[in-house]
Amino acid sequence: MSTAPKPIALPVTAVTCLEDRAHVERTAVLDLEAGVQRLRLGPVSALAVDRTLHAELTAEHPATVLDVRIVRGWTPRGPLPSADEDSALRHRVHALEEERLAEEQRRDRLRARLDLLGRLTADLLRDIGEGAGSGEAERPRWARELDRLDAERDTYGERLRTVEARLAALGTELGAVQRAMDLSEEEPAELLGHVELTVETAAAGPVGLRLSHLTPCALWRPAYRAVLEGDALTLETDAVVWQRTGEDWSDVRLTLSTARSALATDPPRLDEDRLTLKDRSAAERRTVDVELREEEIGALGPAPVLGLPGVDDGGEARVLHSPAPVSVPGDGRAHRVPVSVFTTAASSEYACSPEVSPLVTQVVRFDNLSGHALLAGPVDLVRGSGFSGRGTLDFTTPGTPVELAFGSRDDHGVVREAEETRDSAGIMQRTVVTRTVRLHLSRFSAPGERGDRVVVVRERIPVSEVSAVEVRLRKEACSPPPEVVDADGIVRWDVALPPGGRRTVTLVYELSASSKVAGL
């Protein structure tokens, strides 16, 4: 049994980046002798999780891994270099700090000078007031002194502004030089790890080694870039990767997974749910309590959990692959990795929901042709005029439609007015609540602009869940009558606006309830 004096290199060749950690795979070819040998490989990240360490050997002859472990060693930092050996960056930092100190002292002197001039001006004005009150008139002297003080205050004020501007520039330059010095003169890590591998082979020859382990301080999140050109949309899917594992990933096969390896998988506890029956009182039988509540329209997929950080993957672990080897430095910064890109036909709609927002938004719809699920994440929006903002993309399965908002249109405006009347009618004294909503739409167009623009306007009316309350849309009073009213109470109009045109849309509906209904 022997130990190699020099560690054998064990580079990272493949990485599976999970939601909050990474599964690192290393490969190497070992030239072994027959028998039992103990090898030292590395260095590797000292953050590697020991219990996840796994090693496999591949060879034409029998080869077995007897033991594998990570050994960490502490290397103290070397002494700081002398002043004669300082780099140009360190000399520049020293010069900038001395200049900043001199400018700060000059700024303090100028501020003290301006404060003194301010007190002198106040004394002179008080002297002028007292002299004028006692009948003494020394206008030439007063004017001469005021002009002198004003000139000095302007002079020293300009000097102070120059010094403050120089201090701001020095602070910016000093920060940039210090960041460059940190990147170029970063000292090696004090804690390093090596892998000690004990193997047994039946014959001498090359043996392939595959070693894998988990490591923290690595994560990824999806990001997108949508480019709209006419009726075509190009969607680029990227992965933003951060890692501070203590080593760089150079030309590795990168796999991105939404698996949560640290998430507990214990089944939920089953508690008793007791139901009891109670007779209603006479007052409860005579009245029906109702209330108006906001109900979000249901959608496919699991309900989001507030406060849970991570990637929205629809409740199922998703795996994405980088099409080419990538390099991710271990500097803890964000690095974008291309994953996929596709171009498809898209349809645009100018939509407005005045009850929610007075803005008219351009909504683009297209199909997900990326071949994989689009995870929820931010998307950079680019159209004809360039970068137009940043939006969000919801979780979308492959082949399903995607809806993406490309921002509001500044040349459109919507004003919403609502009024309500209440009346009692009929022998049973039914309560009738009439609500009228008026929407005023306008379009501000540039000179020479032609063609109508269709704006899809959506309003909502309540949906009753009890027979004691009825909701009726008065189409004869609506102007124009709505084109679509769905089961969720969403009313829709397609309003055509010419250049510089204005339109008014009126919605009228009634809520009718019997006399025993309370809370309407």
Side-chain angles (χ1 to χ4, degrees), residues 481-497:
E483 301 178 6
V484 178
V485 182
D486 60 16
D488 296 318
I490 305 299
V491 184
R492 168 178 169 168
W493 295 270
D494 293 341
V495 182
L497 289 176

Side-chain angles (χ1 to χ4, degrees), residues 224-226 379-391 406:
Y224 304 91
R225 186 175 184 267
V379 51
D380 294 333
L381 306 175
V382 181
R383 49 187 175 188
S385 58
F387 179 77
S388 60
R390 176 170 293 179
F406 259 78

Side-chain angles (χ1 to χ4, degrees), residues 260-311:
R260 299 171 177 87
S261 58
L263 188 64
T265 57
D266 295 335
R269 296 183 58 186
L270 300 179
D271 299 328
E272 293 184 357
D273 190 5
R274 294 180 177 272
L275 303 178
T276 58
L277 299 177
K278 183 180 68 173
D279 293 337
R280 293 189 300 170
S281 62
E284 291 175 344
R285 293 191 184 97
R286 289 193 300 268
T287 60
V288 177
D289 291 331
V290 297
E291 62 179 2
L292 185 66
R293 72 174 186 271
E294 302 285 344
E295 188 72 21
E296 184 177 357
I297 299 175
L300 296 177
V305 180
L306 298 178
L308 179 64
V311 182

Side-chain angles (χ1 to χ4, degrees), residues 20-259:
D20 59 350
R21 62 201 64 204
H23 183 268
V24 178
E25 180 179 324
R26 306 167 185 270
T27 57
V29 177
L30 307 177
D31 189 10
L32 301 181
E33 300 176 357
V36 178
Q37 299 181 64
R38 179 179 298 168
L39 306 176
R40 183 177 176 87
L41 305 97
V44 300
S45 172
L47 300 178
V49 183
D50 296 75
R51 64 176 181 272
T52 62
L53 193 63
H54 179 71
E56 295 181 359
L57 295 178
T58 56
E60 297 179 355
H61 50 272
T64 307
V65 176
L66 301 180
D67 183 46
V68 59
R69 67 184 65 185
I70 297 179
V71 179
R72 295 170 178 85
W74 178 266
T75 303
R77 296 185 184 273
L80 294 177
S82 61
D84 298 335
E85 299 177 359
D86 284 345
S87 63
L89 288 175
R90 290 185 180 273
H91 284 291
R92 183 58 180 165
V93 168
H94 181 69
L96 290 175
E97 289 178 347
E98 287 187 345
E99 185 179 356
R100 184 174 63 175
L101 179 60
E103 292 293 337
E104 288 177 349
Q105 294 174 353
R106 185 181 177 190
R107 179 193 59 188
D108 295 339
R109 290 195 298 269
L110 289 173
R111 286 179 177 177
R113 182 71 176 182
L114 286 174
D115 184 62
L116 178 60
L117 290 175
R119 291 199 297 269
L120 288 176
T121 303
D123 294 340
L124 179 58
L125 293 175
R126 184 171 58 253
D127 186 22
I128 293 174
E130 292 176 355
S134 61
E136 298 178 359
E138 300 182 14
R139 294 182 180 179
R141 185 178 67 85
W142 293 341
R144 185 173 59 256
E145 294 295 332
L146 285 175
D147 291 342
R148 184 177 64 84
L149 288 175
D150 290 340
E152 290 191 11
R153 293 179 66 180
D154 292 341
T155 301
Y156 287 106
E158 184 63 28
R159 292 181 183 176
L160 178 61
R161 285 188 289 272
T162 303
V163 171
E164 290 178 345
R166 180 56 182 165
L167 281 174
L170 285 174
T172 303
E173 185 179 359
L174 183 60
V177 174
Q178 287 179 342
R179 288 191 295 271
M181 187 175 63
D182 293 339
L183 293 176
S184 61
E185 300 183 5
E186 184 177 1
E187 298 181 4
E190 296 181 351
L191 185 62
L192 292 177
H194 290 82
V195 176
E196 284 192 356
L197 180 68
T198 305
V199 297
E200 182 180 5
T201 58
V207 176
L209 170 65
R210 177 179 175 273
L211 187 139
S212 61
H213 60 83
L214 282 177
T215 180
C217 301
L219 72 156
W220 77 280
R221 293 295 183 269
Y224 304 91
R225 186 175 184 267
V227 181
L228 182 63
E229 296 180 357
D231 296 334
L233 183 136
T234 302
L235 185 67
E236 302 174 3
T237 303
D238 295 339
V240 184
V241 183
W242 297 263
Q243 68 103 352
R244 192 80 175 184
T245 60
E247 56 185 346
D248 297 337
W249 299 341
S250 301
D251 296 330
V252 300
R253 300 189 311 272
L254 183 63
T255 303
L256 308 161
S257 173
T258 63

Side-chain angles (χ1 to χ4, degrees), residues 224 375-381 389-395 402-405:
Y224 304 91
L375 308 178
V379 51
D380 294 333
L381 306 175
R390 176 170 293 179
T392 57
L393 190 67
D394 296 331
F395 173 79
V402 185
E403 189 173 280
L404 189 60

